[in-house]
DNA sequence: TTGAAACAATGACATGAGTCATGTATGAAA
DNA sequence: TTTCATACATGACTCATGTCATTGTTTCAA
């Protein structure tokens, strides 16, 4: 069960902290990376829209973003989430194509931004770094292949159970629904908001979860896990 | 509507013919590529299984392959099809990871095979070539992102209509079902064989298609197109 | 303070999709 | 030639999911 929403607490202090840069001993490179400043990304802000010309790569330090396709104004589907340590926009830079999806800030975030020239400079001069970026791109393939298989094989109830489990705060069993609205959860799974309410109502009736202060608290995580794995 | 099954007729005579190699003027490289021989891939042959250690990259010249995940022996899901001009296995070589999916030959095929050493040699010495392979990986990401969005937004009936349309032989309007069995179509869409039969039965009753010599002939492609686009 | 609009949530009903059982056809083995 | 296993195809039934209408709550502007 892959983590959808990260619970990591280590703070990002420098672009150097990103795993992709960890192997570097090049002092000029480290100096350049250390000089970059984090930018603020406000909730609701759109980083870029699908088919827009690429304008750089974002290295996410904190907060939450959604990566989505829009079939029409009515039908938005969330392909994935962007959070700490994620790197957004590499594939467009590499392939010299417009962005293949849109990205929007779900909760206030911080990130480093590198322009196309800066990226190509990094990309061109350093073999280890190049392979690091390429591994990042390739791991995206595996991740989304796993996601499509999961969507096809699981009932919507199972997908919701999984989201609630992996995003729960282990200490208090509160699902991070404050980070992801019911509307966004429905778009992440690819169903309707009404149906998500229905399933949440069922889960509440069956005493798997309960609603406290508009938050979802998990009270039977083992049963939710059975549902998430499609084994009931 | 992206083509699922290629109808291209140009024959592949050399590894040089692949678009990714088209920009090359390096005589040593061309000589090496020209020396490679095609290998035969028999129907039913498995190129590799998910989680297997990578052993090379296949450049498909003819025939049809399926790229799939297996949840269990009972649940196989086809992530995509491999056919002429497709390159299979790049991401594992680049990321130095086992194969993230399995690949099986659906109808007799031919391909060029390059070992990891040969690939790394190509990859390491030539900037244009490197970018060409990376573009290939990035276009795979875009393709499967589009696929996942399509699956989530379309009814199964719409997906079947689309498969029948794009795989049809334009001259005779025969859907290439001889290339893809009903069983494999159901695995490509992610549904049951029985439900595919049901929809085909409905299409036949509504005079959109008809069965001739165990082949599906399209007789109302405009109506099928409406269904494929989810506009009925 | 009030009223309109937007959002949250529920219920009734309709449709899409899956499962199981059954019958027929085909091919391989005895 | 017969028998058995597998594949093909259909029908009945059940469950999952979506749509529409409705009610209640919250927010914001006048």
């Amino acid at each position: 069960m892959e983590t959808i929403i990260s619970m990591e607490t280590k703070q990002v202090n420098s672009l150097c902290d990103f795993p992709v840069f960890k192997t570097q001993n090049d002092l000029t490179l480290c100096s350049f990376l250390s000089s970059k400043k984090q930018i603020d990304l406000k909730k609701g802000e759109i980083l870029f829209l699908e088919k827009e010309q690429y304008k750089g790569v974002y290295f996410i330090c904190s907060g939450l973003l959604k990566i989505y396709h829009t079939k029409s104004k009515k039908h938005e589907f969330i392909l994935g989430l962007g959070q700490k340590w994620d790197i957004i926009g590499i594939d467009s830079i590499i392939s010299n194509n417009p962005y293949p999806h849109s990205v929007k800030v779900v909760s206030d975030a911080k990130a480093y931004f590198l322009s196309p020239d800066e990226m190509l400079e990094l990309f061109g001069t350093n073999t280890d770094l190049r392979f690091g970026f390429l591994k990042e791109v390739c791991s995206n393939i595996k991740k989304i292949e796993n996601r499509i298989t999961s969507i096809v094989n699981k009932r919507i109830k199972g997908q919701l159970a999984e989201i609630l489990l992996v995003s729960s705060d282990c200490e208090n069993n509160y699902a991070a629904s404050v980070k992801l609205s019911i509307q966004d959860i429905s778009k992440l799974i690819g169903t309707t908001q009404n149906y998500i309410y229905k399933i949440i109502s069922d889960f509440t009736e069956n005493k798997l979860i309960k609603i406290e202060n508009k938050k979802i608290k998990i009270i039977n995580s083992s049963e939710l896990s059975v549902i998430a794995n499609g084994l009931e």
Side-chain angles (χ1 to χ4, degrees), chain A:
Chain A
M1 221 182 282
E2 259 173 322
T3 300
I4 292 185
I5 297 182
S6 172
M7 291 301 167
E8 245 205 64
T9 52
K10 181 175 175 286
Q11 200 167 348
V12 184
N13 294 315
S14 165
L15 196 40
C16 295
D17 289 339
F18 275 76
V20 72
F21 298 120
K22 274 306 186 187
T23 56
Q24 296 315 304
N25 295 318
D26 185 325
L27 294 184
T28 306
L29 176 63
C30 288
S31 177
F32 163 71
L33 293 176
S34 297
S35 73
K36 298 298 291 183
K37 301 272 185 286
Q38 286 185 14
I39 58 173
D40 288 318
L41 305 173
K42 291 301 182 191
K43 175 177 178 175
E45 179 179 344
I46 290 178
L47 297 198
F48 49 82
L49 292 175
E50 184 179 350
K51 293 192 180 65
E52 252 183 44
Q53 191 57 28
Y54 65 91
K55 55 200 179 192
V57 175
Y58 296 83
F59 296 73
I60 309 303
C61 307
S62 67
L64 186 67
L65 300 90
K66 60 186 178 182
I67 300 162
Y68 63 97
H69 273 167
T70 308
K71 182 167 179 283
S72 67
K73 277 200 178 50
K74 289 179 291 183
H75 284 288
E76 173 188 302
F77 176 66
I78 298 179
L79 288 151
L81 299 171
Q83 48 200 330
K84 185 192 287 187
W85 306 126
D86 286 334
I87 305 177
I88 293 178
I90 305 181
D91 38 332
S92 289
I93 297 292
I94 290 175
S95 63
N96 197 21
N97 279 327
Y99 289 116
H101 41 241
S102 308
V103 178
K104 187 178 189 181
V105 186
V106 170
S107 62
D108 285 353
K110 292 183 186 294
Y112 293 101
F113 174 81
L114 293 183
S115 71
D117 288 339
E118 289 172 322
M119 280 301 301
L120 287 173
E121 177 72 14
L122 289 181
F123 205 82
T125 59
N126 191 309
T127 302
D128 285 344
L129 201 47
R130 194 159 55 228
F131 266 87
F133 281 124
L134 301 188
K135 286 195 173 200
E136 190 74 24
V137 172
C138 290
S139 78
N140 285 345
I141 288 189
K142 183 174 180 179
K143 188 184 300 177
I144 197 154
E145 282 188 353
N146 287 340
R147 179 139 193 257
I148 196 175
T149 302
S150 174
I151 283 186
V152 160
N153 281 320
K154 277 187 184 148
R155 300 301 199 183
I156 293 180
K157 177 195 279 189
Q159 295 187 56
L160 177 60
E162 180 179 314
I163 289 175
L164 294 181
L165 283 169
V166 302
S167 64
S168 67
D169 170 1
C170 296
E171 290 182 41
N172 297 310
N173 260 344
Y174 278 106
S177 57
V178 290
K179 287 188 167 186
L180 219 47
S181 64
I182 296 298
Q183 186 176 51
D184 277 346
I185 288 178
S186 70
K187 289 168 178 171
L188 183 63
I189 295 177
T191 183
T192 63
Q193 214 167 321
N194 290 347
Y195 195 49
I196 296 294
Y197 280 118
K198 200 184 304 268
I199 299 177
I200 288 178
S201 181
D202 284 350
F203 282 173
T204 306
E205 278 186 34
N206 295 331
K207 301 192 181 350
L208 307 183
I209 62 175
K210 70 175 175 178
I211 313 296
E212 279 183 2
N213 302 326
K214 291 184 178 274
K215 292 179 176 181
I216 295 174
K217 181 165 186 171
I218 293 172
I219 51 184
N220 189 340
S221 63
S222 60
E223 182 62 26
L224 264 188
S225 190
V226 169
I227 293 176
N229 287 315
L231 303 173
E232 75 270 41

